[in-house]
Amino acid sequence: MDYDLNEEQELLKKAAKGFLSKECKPLFVREMEEDPQGITPELWQKMAELGWMGLIFPEEYGGIGGSYLDLMVLLVEMGYSCLPGPFFSTVILGGMTLMEAGNEEKKQELLAGIAEGKIFVTLALTEATAGYSPERIAVKAEKDADNFVINGTKLFVPDAHLANYIICVARTKEGGNKEDGITLFLVDAKSQGVVITPLKTFAGDKLNEVVFNNVKVPERNILGELDKGWSIMKKVIQKAAIAKCAEMVGGGQRALELTIEQVTEREQFGVKVGSFQAIQHHCANILTYLETSRLMTHQAAWRISEGLPCEKEIAMTKAWVTDSCRSLLALAHQAVGGTGFMEEHDLQLYFRRTKAAGVYFGDADFHREALADVMGL
């Protein structure tokens, strides 16, 4: 495969970098960490006008018809700038689930609204066990006439406080096969019985507890087939895992630049810190971790775009990028020294986001186990 970006992707990368360098400076990132909404309407609308929200949606649903690899180019730049806000939840989690499982009516109704920046959608998947396996789904939905009634609690739901719709992953049947009996419901976030409570997070992102207390959902709001939702969710989790890898690669790139800036300016014992062999080795290792992560992420994203088998590549990539980017940030902090942990320094922004991203959609151990399954072990 060709690891170079094509002409359109280079233009997208350049445009995104220029836009975010102007609109998403580190001070703005810090302000949004403290802001209850986590995004400004002005920035969100500007992103919509650039076509970012509809980048991967087909043109008939108001999108641009780009590829998953195009999306990765954009996400790397978003990770580089620590972009806050609900892009990941609405476009990746909400949009991709609708693309996979929504019927024509739901796609026409919702994807165009997402592309225009007018509709927010999120995914309520994880629960108290914080796992990404079907046996971890305990929230129940039971049939009641023409409705289903959902009861239970979802945790770590991104941007639920903004969402117009929440896609709830619920168990509709018990049995020996835990993948059977899981259904996806499109829930109006303002439905009676939905209680959303913000959670305080290490990374400053906006995660929420969402309690479903006898929430009635019309049967027509099932996405996909009754009891057959896990196969769809598995695809969404895999794509989201690679999307998080792209963000980590972008953050790793910025961490490397911050480290180089610091060690080429700071002096100790009358010489630049970057002249010390130990620091040089740290920087060399950071670059190695970064480039291997970039290439593996690119390969996995390309295989997704081409519709090729990619379960192995996704598992390898998320496991590798999670460990590598965490090591990368640790080395960056060692090279920069105590300054890098101060709130005023940008390096801590990337450390916190990388640590959180490593857990989302399966940590390294989760994906190593997935890879072992692929290997027949």
Side-chain angles (χ1 to χ4, degrees):
M1 67 170 289
D2 185 356
Y3 285 92
D4 290 333
L5 301 182
N6 62 33
E7 185 178 349
E8 289 79 12
Q9 289 163 349
E10 288 287 0
L11 289 172
L12 175 62
K13 176 183 172 68
K14 183 178 179 181
K17 186 176 284 295
F19 176 82
L20 292 170
S21 66
K22 178 183 176 185
E23 301 287 345
C24 186
K25 297 180 185 296
L27 176 60
F28 176 77
V29 174
R30 289 175 170 82
E31 289 175 349
M32 290 301 101
E33 284 192 354
E34 301 300 325
D35 185 278
Q37 299 301 305
I39 189 70
T40 63
E42 293 79 14
L43 177 57
W44 188 251
Q45 196 54 47
K46 287 180 181 178
M47 290 165 56
E49 290 169 2
L50 288 170
W52 289 2
M53 277 63 140
L55 180 63
I56 57 168
F57 300 158
E59 293 180 7
E60 60 263 37
Y61 304 128
I64 295 176
S67 70
Y68 185 82
L69 189 56
D70 297 335
L71 181 64
M72 293 303 99
V73 173
L74 187 57
L75 286 167
V76 168
E77 296 307 318
M78 289 179 173
Y80 181 92
S81 294
C82 281
L83 176 71
F87 183 89
F88 199 100
S89 56
T90 290
V91 176
I92 309 291
L93 302 181
M96 283 193 176
T97 305
L98 288 166
M99 287 279 291
E100 292 282 350
N103 58 28
E104 190 64 22
E105 178 188 353
K106 290 288 183 293
K107 290 179 181 176
Q108 291 285 356
E109 176 186 348
L110 298 176
L111 292 180
I114 293 174
E116 293 174 359
K118 295 178 179 176
I119 292 178
F120 298 98
V121 185
T122 191
L123 177 68
L125 170 61
T126 49
E127 303 180 10
T129 54
Y132 293 93
S133 304
E135 59 267 24
R136 306 296 182 94
I137 305 299
V139 168
K140 290 186 177 179
E142 296 179 326
K143 188 84 164 59
D144 179 22
D146 292 334
N147 297 316
F148 276 81
V149 180
I150 304 176
N151 278 291
T153 300
K154 293 288 185 179
L155 289 175
F156 320 115
V157 182
D159 306 307
H161 63 299
L162 294 173
N164 303 99
Y165 296 95
I166 299 171
I167 298 171
C168 179
V169 184
R171 184 160 293 285
T172 43
K173 185 174 74 176
E174 297 289 350
N177 181 0
K178 291 298 181 182
E179 292 192 10
D180 189 24
I182 291 176
T183 305
L184 314 182
F185 294 92
L186 183 67
V187 181
D188 187 327
K190 295 190 182 305
S191 299
Q192 186 174 3
V194 174
V195 180
I196 300 170
T197 305
L199 301 172
K200 188 173 179 59
T201 68
F202 175 78
D205 47 359
K206 307 303 178 187
L207 302 182
N208 300 271
E209 175 192 77
V210 180
V211 176
F212 296 87
N213 185 13
N214 290 320
V215 176
K216 291 185 178 180
V217 183
E219 189 170 355
R220 65 177 180 276
N221 275 21
I222 289 177
L223 299 176
E225 296 181 51
L226 178 68
D227 297 330
K228 304 296 181 186
W230 189 254
S231 60
I232 297 166
M233 199 41 45
K234 188 175 180 180
K235 292 179 185 176
V236 173
I237 291 171
Q238 289 176 337
K239 291 180 179 178
I242 296 304
K244 274 295 165 192
C245 290
E247 287 187 347
M248 284 192 278
V249 168
Q253 177 65 46
R254 184 58 186 144
L256 173 62
E257 293 172 4
L258 289 167
T259 304
I260 296 297
E261 288 173 12
Q262 181 79 2
V263 301
T264 52
E265 292 177 1
R266 182 178 165 213
E267 291 188 0
Q268 285 285 348
F269 312 112
V271 297
K272 301 293 184 186
V273 170
S275 67
F276 297 138
Q277 186 183 54
I279 297 298
Q280 292 173 350
H281 286 189
H282 278 0
C283 292
N285 284 327
I286 289 172
L287 182 60
T288 304
Y289 285 134
L290 175 62
E291 290 306 312
T292 51
S293 295
R294 190 194 308 279
L295 293 174
M296 292 181 74
T297 300
H298 189 107
Q299 184 195 33
W302 175 77
R303 293 188 73 88
I304 292 172
S305 291
E306 296 295 315
L308 297 170
C310 52
E311 195 167 358
K312 179 182 70 176
E313 286 77 10
I314 288 170
M316 286 194 301
T317 301
K318 185 60 165 65
W320 179 266
V321 175
T322 294
D323 283 347
S324 293
C325 285
R326 186 173 296 180
S327 298
L328 181 163
L329 263 298
L331 289 172
H333 273 295
Q334 289 178 37
V336 170
T339 305
F341 287 100
M342 297 176 69
E343 289 188 5
E344 293 79 3
H345 200 283
D346 291 345
L347 191 58
Q348 54 86 18
L349 295 174
Y350 295 94
F351 172 78
R352 289 189 285 117
R353 278 159 180 72
T354 296
K355 195 171 180 64
V359 175
Y360 295 152
F361 312 106
D363 61 11
D365 284 346
F366 175 90
H367 284 281
R368 276 192 278 266
E369 290 175 15
L371 185 56
D373 285 342
V374 173
M375 297 165 69
L377 301 174

